[in-house]
Amino acid sequence: MEKEMERKDFSLLKKNLTGSGYIVRCFDTASEAAGYLNTEIDGQTVGFAGSVTLEEMGLYELLSTHNRVFWHQRIPAGKTSREVRTEANAAAVYISSVNGISENGEIINIDGNCNRVSSIFYGHQKVYFVVGENKMEKNYDSALYRARNIAAPLNARRVGAKTPCAVRGDRCYDCKSPERICRGLSVLWGKPMTGEFEVLLIHEKLGY
């Protein structure tokens, strides 16, 4: 039986994120966070990053009832994945999780197509980061290690990539495989100067 994860203290992370210009909200459960987003985002165009966290929260189904949501994991008939990614990148609101976040407030993501990391940096009126407490690490080095050696191998395995990390599931091998999914790295040391950024910290294990 999997050991239950000890509840993490968000107080220092929240203080550092707020000091860097982010709006920060804490939730006990993913359901509460999903309900909050469903209330806050209405009548908008919304882009989704590739994310197991968003999948687990059922956010697409919730928000699609009263927003136009673009997600390449839900491709409508007559559309291509590329077209949906382009529409997501042009949306007013963008929602992503993270691969790692340090208590200092550094936010780390790794991407293959790089649509997610580009959207995180610039172009939307508002960006939301939805973060389960399993993503939080003590410092930048451990958050980066987590992104490369925990999140990336699990995501590679999830999409069926033929890479050493997907086969072994233990760490990054810095491979040269044509199916390598870790091709771009984004690090936010602080909130970008333009746009509004909000971080939702959730006391549950979500995604990879």
Side-chain angles (χ1 to χ4, degrees):
M1 184 176 179
E2 186 180 352
K3 184 180 179 181
E4 186 176 348
M5 185 173 59
E6 183 180 350
R7 182 183 174 101
K8 292 187 177 180
D9 184 356
F10 287 148
S11 57
L12 179 58
L13 173 57
K14 182 177 180 180
K15 176 183 176 182
N16 287 329
L17 287 170
T18 302
S20 294
Y22 296 97
I23 299 167
V24 183
R25 302 186 191 279
C26 300
F27 299 89
D28 286 328
T29 68
S31 178
E32 291 173 359
Y36 167 75
L37 288 171
N38 195 40
T39 300
E40 288 292 303
I41 304 170
D42 182 54
Q44 299 280 355
T45 54
V46 184
F48 271 30
S51 170
V52 173
T53 294
L54 304 188
E55 178 87 42
E56 290 174 344
M57 293 174 69
L59 276 179
Y60 180 87
E61 289 74 19
L62 275 176
L63 295 181
S64 291
T65 62
H66 54 107
N67 298 275
R68 292 182 64 209
V69 184
F70 305 105
W71 195 16
H72 60 277
Q73 293 180 200
R74 300 283 194 280
I75 303 173
K79 292 277 189 179
T80 66
S81 177
R82 182 181 181 87
E83 287 171 336
V84 175
R85 283 188 173 96
T86 300
E87 289 172 321
N89 281 22
V93 176
Y94 197 76
I95 307 177
S96 177
S97 188
V98 307
N99 294 138
I101 186 168
S102 76
E103 280 194 320
N104 298 324
E106 295 133 335
I107 297 173
I108 297 172
N109 272 293
I110 291 175
D111 205 357
N113 287 302
C114 295
N115 57 300
R116 175 173 58 162
V117 297
S118 64
S119 271
I120 285 170
F121 279 132
Y122 184 78
H124 303 282
Q125 293 175 20
K126 184 157 186 175
V127 173
Y128 290 92
F129 292 112
V130 184
V131 185
E133 65 180 4
N134 52 308
K135 307 294 184 70
M136 189 177 84
E137 298 288 345
K138 194 70 178 173
N139 53 43
Y140 170 80
D141 288 339
S142 56
L144 178 60
Y145 180 90
R146 184 194 192 285
R148 295 196 67 185
N149 296 284
I150 298 175
L154 289 172
N155 277 309
R157 178 175 287 180
R158 174 177 61 87
V159 301
K162 295 179 176 63
T163 58
C165 72
V167 172
R168 298 181 178 90
D170 56 349
R171 64 179 176 86
C172 174
Y173 288 82
D174 197 21
C175 72
K176 303 304 178 187
S177 168
E179 296 189 21
R180 174 176 174 151
I181 68 165
C182 48
R183 294 174 180 264
L185 171 70
S186 70
V187 180
L188 289 177
W189 287 290
K191 186 192 86 66
M193 291 181 178
T194 58
E196 191 173 88
F197 285 70
E198 185 165 340
V199 183
L200 277 56
L201 302 174
I202 304 169
H203 284 294
E204 285 188 348
K205 180 182 183 296
L206 292 167
Y208 303 145

